[in-house]
Amino acid sequence: MEPSNVTTLQPSNGNAYFLVINGKPQGPFSVAQLKEHKIRPGDFLKTAAMDDYKEAHEIAELRELLGFRKQSVIPQYFGSFDQRLMAVAIDWFFVWGACIIIAFLLVLFVNNAATRSVIALSTLVLAPVVSIIYHIVMECSAKQATFGKQILKIKVCDMQGERISAGMSVVRNLARIFSVATFFVGYVISFFTKQQQALHDMIAGTLVMKDRLV
C-alpha cells in the first residue's frame, strides 16, 4: 500500500525515500534531504519499490552514505526444550556412531583379546570427550550450531544474537557438566526462564535461538 498523508517534497537526486516522522510517513526525500533531517539508524524508511518499511541501518545505500553500522538483530525466538533434546540425541548418534565405527575398524587389525578390550573401554571414555570438543568447535563456527542443531534449525549465539567466541563456547560446553550434575535440573529450568536459557547458557551468557516462530 502506498504511504498516505505524506508531505510532498521533491527529492533533488538519487532514490526517493518516505520517512516515518511522529508515526506518519512523510516525503519523498532524497539522501541529501535525509541528511538534513539528521535521521538515526533506527528511523523507518522505504522507497516506492520496497514492500515494507525498514530501519535506516538495514538499507545498504543509507548505511554506506550516512555511515550507519549494521546493528545486531536481537534474538526474539528461542529453541524449545524438545528441539534442544532432539538435537542432543542426533549429535550423540553422530559422535557415538563415529567412535564405534573407528573402534570397530581398529579391532579388526588386533588379534590380542586384551588389546581389544582396551580399545572398547577407551571408546566409552573418549566418546564424551570427543562430544565436548565437537560441540565447542561447531558452536563457535560460522554455522553456530552442531549438525543436530542445524537439522532442527536452531543455533547458539550471545545475548545480542552474534556468533560466540571460541572461549565462550568452551565455557558453555564445560558448564554443561553442571546442568547434568544437578540431575538435569540445569536443563529443566529452561522452561522457567524468559529466553529459555539452561543453566550452562546462563553461566556462559549464551542463547539458543531460531530465526522465526514456526
Side-chain angles (χ1 to χ4, degrees), residues 20-191:
V20 175
I21 302 175
N22 295 325
K24 296 181 180 180
Q26 298 186 26
F29 301 107
S30 67
V31 173
Q33 290 169 325
L34 291 176
K35 287 182 179 179
E36 295 176 3
H37 276 277
K38 298 181 179 179
I39 64 170
R40 296 165 296 180
D43 287 338
F44 286 92
L45 304 100
K46 77 180 290 290
T47 65
M50 293 167 56
D51 294 330
D52 201 358
Y53 284 88
K54 291 184 178 180
E55 293 184 9
H57 71 89
E58 296 181 293
I59 302 172
E61 179 189 36
L62 298 182
R63 190 165 66 246
E64 180 181 350
L65 294 178
L66 302 181
F68 294 149
R69 181 177 64 85
K70 186 171 178 60
Q71 298 176 349
S72 302
V73 178
I74 302 300
Q76 300 181 55
Y77 310 122
F78 308 99
S80 61
F81 180 82
D82 59 332
Q83 285 179 312
R84 296 176 67 164
L85 183 62
M86 181 62 70
V88 168
I90 293 171
D91 288 326
W92 270 99
F93 175 79
F94 284 145
V95 171
W96 277 91
C99 289
I100 290 172
I101 290 172
I102 293 172
F104 177 75
L105 293 175
L106 290 175
V107 166
L108 290 178
F109 296 96
V110 175
N111 295 323
N112 186 282
T115 305
R116 288 181 175 181
S117 298
V118 169
I119 292 174
L121 291 174
S122 297
T123 302
L124 297 177
V125 175
L126 290 176
V129 175
V130 171
S131 177
I132 291 175
I133 295 173
Y134 159 75
H135 278 80
I136 290 172
V137 172
M138 295 296 289
E139 289 176 358
C140 67
S141 70
K143 293 291 187 181
Q144 299 179 239
T146 59
F147 292 124
K149 288 184 175 68
Q150 290 177 47
I151 291 171
L152 275 295
K153 300 187 184 303
I154 56 178
K155 61 184 179 181
V156 178
C157 63
D158 64 15
M159 302 303 291
Q160 286 72 46
E162 298 288 345
R163 175 181 171 182
I164 64 174
S165 65
M168 189 177 291
S169 187
V170 169
V171 172
R172 180 180 192 274
N173 283 284
L174 291 181
R176 288 169 58 199
I177 296 172
F178 297 106
S179 292
V180 174
T182 54
F183 299 99
F184 295 94
V185 172
Y187 284 96
V188 174
I189 61 175
S190 64
F191 284 109

Side-chain angles (χ1 to χ4, degrees), residues 180-214:
V180 174
T182 54
F183 299 99
F184 295 94
V185 172
Y187 284 96
V188 174
I189 61 175
S190 64
F191 284 109
F192 307 100
T193 55
K194 184 178 180 181
Q195 296 171 306
Q196 295 184 271
Q197 287 178 292
L199 178 60
H200 52 279
D201 290 313
M202 294 179 179
I203 293 172
T206 57
L207 300 169
V208 176
M209 65 174 285
K210 55 184 176 181
D211 291 335
R212 58 184 64 189
L213 191 60
V214 292

